[in-house]
Amino acid sequence: MSYNLEEMSWSDARNLLRKWRDDNERKSDDVMQLWDNVLSSKQSKLGNERHLVLEQVIIAALDCNRIETAEHCVSILSAEFPGSLRIQKYRSMLLEALERYDDALDELEQIIRKDETNAAPRKRKVAILKTQGRTAEAIKELCDYMKIFMSDQEGWHELCNLYLAEGEYAKAAFCMEELLLHNPHSHLIHQRLADIRYTMGGLDNIEMAKTHYCKAVKLNVNNLRALYGLFLCCGHISNSKLVIGKRKEAQKLAQWAMAQIQARTQPTAKDTKGAIKTGKSKAAGCEDELQALEQAFGGLDVGKVAN
């Protein structure tokens, strides 16, 4: 922290914490320093923001493994709001930090029974199950959550990751297709769906992967992963038993994709002249990037385009 804590007043510290809350910045280490050096003895002066600051300190303390500070703040809030579901959520997070996962799950179940529309405890429950390695149970819990909160894009992303961890590629592809409905112009979503389809294998999936790679490149022509995926898909299609027209089209598309890759990974004539003056540092960087691509995609030679 670049602030002088010795000269900082309690109002300056309060304003700084308020700014971080408004900007959605955690800054856990900095929050704990402000709390320890300035605000812990000035709680009564915080006014209406006192409870917000205590909540902010709880999260920061858990991030920094300051369990005693978190317990102290939770006890203060529990005494003032004994029946609050919000405070009960913080108690479950504290139990989770102490690795008392069963007790934390019991707290979360109580919150869910009292308020079935509360999304936060359901997400925490999935996180705990994932932490324990109970992936199948986490998937079931997250599926139940998505039936209620179908527009939660983060939930679809997490469910996709869990399915991929279990090798359920068809279900992971379904999750990405749901995300496309929410954000059809995201080149990263098209790229990831194409990656999953390509991994699934089979000519039908390869053709679907090619379509999504094309869409990803159309949305962002600098997406090297999508360009390389497009090149690989076209290579499979050109060597398949499809009609000659589709194979020729795939060959042309593969050549175009490789030309785009080479244009972004190999230095131009001007760059070469500049590299001579600067010790060819840029050419070395491009070569490293090209080697990384080849290693990521099975050691294929991307420096040449097959006729």
Side-chain angles (χ1 to χ4, degrees):
M1 178 184 285
S2 59
Y3 308 100
N4 191 339
L5 297 175
E6 296 180 357
E7 298 179 0
M8 181 176 288
S9 65
W10 71 269
S11 59
D12 292 334
R14 178 200 60 190
N15 293 337
L16 194 54
L17 289 182
R18 181 192 301 161
K19 180 180 182 300
W20 291 341
R21 288 197 305 273
D22 293 340
D23 295 341
N24 199 26
E25 296 182 86
R26 291 176 82 118
K27 291 185 177 291
S28 299
D29 290 329
D30 295 342
V31 169
M32 292 311 302
Q33 290 186 40
L34 289 176
W35 175 256
D36 291 336
N37 294 281
V38 183
L39 292 176
S40 60
S41 59
K42 303 287 193 304
Q43 294 185 45
S44 59
K45 296 184 177 182
L46 294 174
N48 295 331
E49 293 188 47
R50 176 170 167 268
H51 301 119
L52 293 175
V53 169
L54 286 172
E55 289 181 326
Q56 194 172 1
V57 171
I58 290 172
I59 299 298
L62 293 176
D63 287 343
C64 299
N65 199 29
R66 296 276 300 275
I67 304 300
E68 292 183 0
T69 303
E71 287 178 336
H72 175 66
C73 295
V74 169
S75 64
I76 293 174
L77 292 174
S78 298
E80 296 187 30
F81 306 98
S84 172
L85 298 182
R86 187 166 175 170
I87 308 306
Q88 195 170 356
K89 182 191 75 172
Y90 289 126
R91 283 202 299 270
S92 70
M93 293 172 66
L94 179 59
L95 292 170
E96 185 180 347
L98 293 170
E99 297 186 0
R100 294 168 55 185
Y101 296 122
D102 292 337
D103 294 336
L105 288 172
D106 291 340
E107 289 279 352
L108 293 172
E109 285 289 354
Q110 294 178 23
I111 299 174
I112 294 171
R113 283 196 294 268
K114 295 176 182 177
D115 183 7
E116 295 182 355
T117 61
N118 193 338
R122 294 178 182 273
K123 286 185 173 183
R124 293 299 330 155
K125 188 175 179 181
V126 173
I128 292 174
L129 293 172
K130 184 180 177 181
T131 300
Q132 293 181 293
R134 297 157 63 181
T135 308
E137 295 179 53
I139 289 174
K140 181 180 180 302
E141 189 66 33
L142 190 51
C143 285
D144 294 338
Y145 169 83
M146 296 310 304
K147 291 176 183 178
I148 302 173
F149 304 96
M150 295 182 182
S151 61
D152 189 339
Q153 296 186 45
E154 290 182 356
W156 287 116
H157 273 294
E158 183 61 32
L159 186 56
C160 177
N161 290 335
L162 291 174
Y163 277 134
L164 289 176
E166 291 293 295
E168 297 280 358
Y169 296 111
K171 294 178 180 179
F174 173 81
C175 295
M176 297 310 297
E177 289 167 353
E178 286 290 330
L179 281 168
L180 275 181
L181 296 177
H182 295 286
N183 195 355
H185 301 296
S186 170
H187 69 99
L188 295 175
I189 295 177
H190 281 283
Q191 172 205 301
R192 194 175 195 203
L193 177 55
D195 289 342
I196 295 172
R197 288 292 180 185
Y198 183 85
T199 305
M200 291 171 68
L203 195 55
D204 291 339
N205 285 316
I206 294 295
E207 288 192 281
M208 292 180 68
K210 179 178 79 72
T211 300
H212 288 289
Y213 279 133
C214 286
K215 186 65 176 178
V217 172
K218 182 179 179 181
L219 292 169
N220 182 8
V221 74
N222 293 317
N223 188 332
L224 272 177
R225 186 183 181 96
L227 285 168
Y228 213 135
L230 179 59
F231 172 74
L232 293 177
C233 288
C234 291
H236 280 283
I237 293 173
S238 62
N239 294 320
S240 67
K241 296 181 180 180
L242 287 175
V243 295
I244 188 66
K246 285 189 175 182
R247 283 186 284 167
K248 286 185 176 180
E249 179 186 353
Q251 288 176 352
K252 291 180 180 179
L253 193 55
Q255 291 177 356
W256 176 87
M258 185 51 59
Q260 296 297 314
I261 293 171
Q262 290 175 335
R264 285 158 179 77
T265 56
Q266 293 182 355
T268 62
K270 293 181 179 180
D271 294 332
T272 305
K273 292 179 181 179
I276 295 174
K277 297 179 181 180
T278 59
K280 297 184 179 180
S281 59
K282 186 172 182 179
C286 292
E287 184 177 350
D288 292 341
E289 187 174 1
L290 190 58
Q291 290 177 355
L293 277 171
E294 291 176 349
Q295 292 175 1
F297 288 92
L300 294 178
D301 185 3
V302 301
K304 299 178 181 179
V305 179
N307 293 327

